[in-house]
Amino acid sequence: MTDADFKAQLKQQLPDLLRQDDEIRGLVLHTVEQYFANRQETESRFDQVLAELRRDREAQMLKWQEQSRKWEENDRKWEEHHRKWDETLARMDRKWEDQNRKWEENGRRQDEILADIKAMNLKHESTIGALGARWGLYSEAAFRNGLKAILEGTFGVQVLNVVEYDDAGEVFGRPEQIELDLIIRNGDLILCEIKSSVSKPDLYAFLRKVEFYEKRHQRQATRKMVISPMVHPSAQPIGPRLGIEVYSYAEDVPATPTL
């Protein structure tokens, strides 16, 4: 019998022999036990695997718990950071509102101060303007009265202040009172106007006054004179063209006046 035949017959009969013959079954188990782990060893190895799995699971659980703790700590820190940031923003908002309120109060105070200053300026300007106008009128009257006294008392000249009413509005374009100073001597007629200040329109107005007087009284003026301490530069060249003698300073008056 060859080895192949023996192996084939063994494979065929061995299962029945193991079931039927305890001695053969024991022999076979004793022979193969060195190649296979017994039940106790298998259970021990299984327990070892389970223990290792348990340790790995516990270690993983510890790591997970540690990570969760770190996440919770980060969340707490993040919430704390947000809380502080919100408090900072709220504090900045309060400061900004306080600053805006102070700026508005300062703005109102400055507006009130400016309004008071403007009111004072207007009051002072009105007062100064009124004083200036009154001073001008007083100066004109004083100079007119002094000139009248000198001319009449020393040179025998008649000085008149004439006030007439222009019903047709020939001088100013509307009915208005017209005032002129007249100097009369030996048939000569000098129409004069004494003003605290003279501008170009004042010269044209004076010329219309002269023409109004000449037309109403049918008498030609010998000379036309304007006397003022303040003559605008633009009015200076207008006088000679209109035939008006303009005197602003004493040295402008001829040394020997023709009366």
Side-chain angles (χ1 to χ4, degrees):
M1 178 182 296
T2 62
D3 292 338
D5 293 338
F6 176 75
K7 290 180 180 180
Q9 187 176 1
L10 181 60
K11 289 178 179 180
Q12 183 178 1
Q13 295 179 1
L14 182 59
D16 293 334
L17 292 174
L18 290 174
R19 286 193 301 268
Q20 298 173 3
D21 193 329
D22 294 336
E23 183 179 357
I24 293 177
R25 185 169 54 252
L27 178 62
V28 171
L29 290 174
H30 178 72
T31 303
V32 300
E33 66 181 355
Q34 59 181 329
Y35 300 103
F36 300 97
N38 56 26
R39 181 176 181 178
Q40 184 178 1
E41 292 177 350
T42 300
E43 290 178 352
S44 177
R45 291 181 180 178
F46 184 74
D47 291 338
Q48 291 177 358
V49 171
L50 290 178
E52 291 178 359
L53 290 175
R54 188 181 301 107
R55 286 194 299 271
D56 291 341
R57 183 179 64 184
E58 291 175 353
Q60 190 65 32
M61 182 62 69
L62 290 176
K63 291 181 179 180
W64 177 257
Q65 291 176 351
E66 180 65 18
Q67 187 63 39
S68 297
R69 187 189 63 78
K70 291 181 179 179
W71 285 343
E72 291 176 356
E73 181 68 17
N74 290 335
D75 289 340
R76 187 187 62 77
K77 291 181 179 179
W78 185 251
E79 290 176 357
E80 180 68 14
H81 176 73
H82 270 286
R83 185 185 61 78
K84 291 182 179 179
W85 179 249
D86 291 339
E87 292 176 354
T88 301
L89 290 178
R91 189 163 54 251
M92 292 176 63
D93 288 340
R94 288 194 297 271
K95 289 183 179 180
W96 181 254
E97 290 175 357
D98 292 340
Q99 188 63 42
N100 283 339
R101 181 179 55 78
K102 291 179 180 179
W103 285 342
E104 290 176 356
E105 292 178 356
N106 291 335
R108 285 194 297 270
R109 291 177 182 175
Q110 291 177 1
D111 291 340
E112 293 174 356
I113 293 173
L114 289 176
D116 292 340
I117 293 174
K118 289 181 180 179
M120 292 176 62
N121 286 339
L122 289 175
K123 183 178 180 180
H124 290 165
E125 289 176 359
S126 300
T127 303
I128 292 173
L131 290 175
R134 186 177 299 176
W135 176 261
L137 293 175
Y138 288 172
S139 298
E140 293 174 9
F143 186 78
R144 183 181 293 109
N145 293 335
L147 183 62
K148 176 180 175 66
I150 293 172
L151 293 178
E152 290 184 344
T154 304
F155 299 100
V157 176
Q158 185 180 7
V159 179
L160 302 175
N161 180 252
V162 178
V163 178
E164 297 184 351
Y165 195 77
D166 177 15
D167 298 302
E170 297 179 12
V171 177
F172 297 108
R174 64 182 184 280
E176 187 62 73
Q177 180 176 287
I178 305 301
E179 183 177 2
L180 280 171
D181 292 309
L182 278 63
I183 302 175
I184 302 173
R185 182 186 181 189
N186 298 329
D188 291 330
L189 173 64
I190 301 175
L191 298 183
C192 180
E193 185 166 51
I194 301 172
K195 292 178 66 66
S196 59
S197 63
V198 174
S199 63
K200 185 190 296 185
D202 291 332
L203 292 181
Y204 287 108
F206 173 67
L207 180 62
R208 291 194 297 271
K209 290 181 182 181
V210 172
E211 293 173 347
F212 167 79
Y213 182 86
E214 290 176 337
K215 179 180 178 181
R216 170 164 290 193
H217 295 277
Q218 296 297 313
R219 187 175 180 182
Q220 193 72 24
T222 305
R223 297 173 65 183
K224 300 183 285 290
M225 300 175 59
V226 172
I227 302 174
S228 174
M230 295 178 61
V231 179
H232 195 276
S234 64
Q236 290 287 359
I238 301 300
R241 293 206 296 266
L242 300 179
I244 301 173
E245 302 174 35
V246 180
Y247 298 108
S248 181
Y249 300 100
E251 56 268 23
D252 292 337
V253 181
T256 305
T258 301
L259 297 177

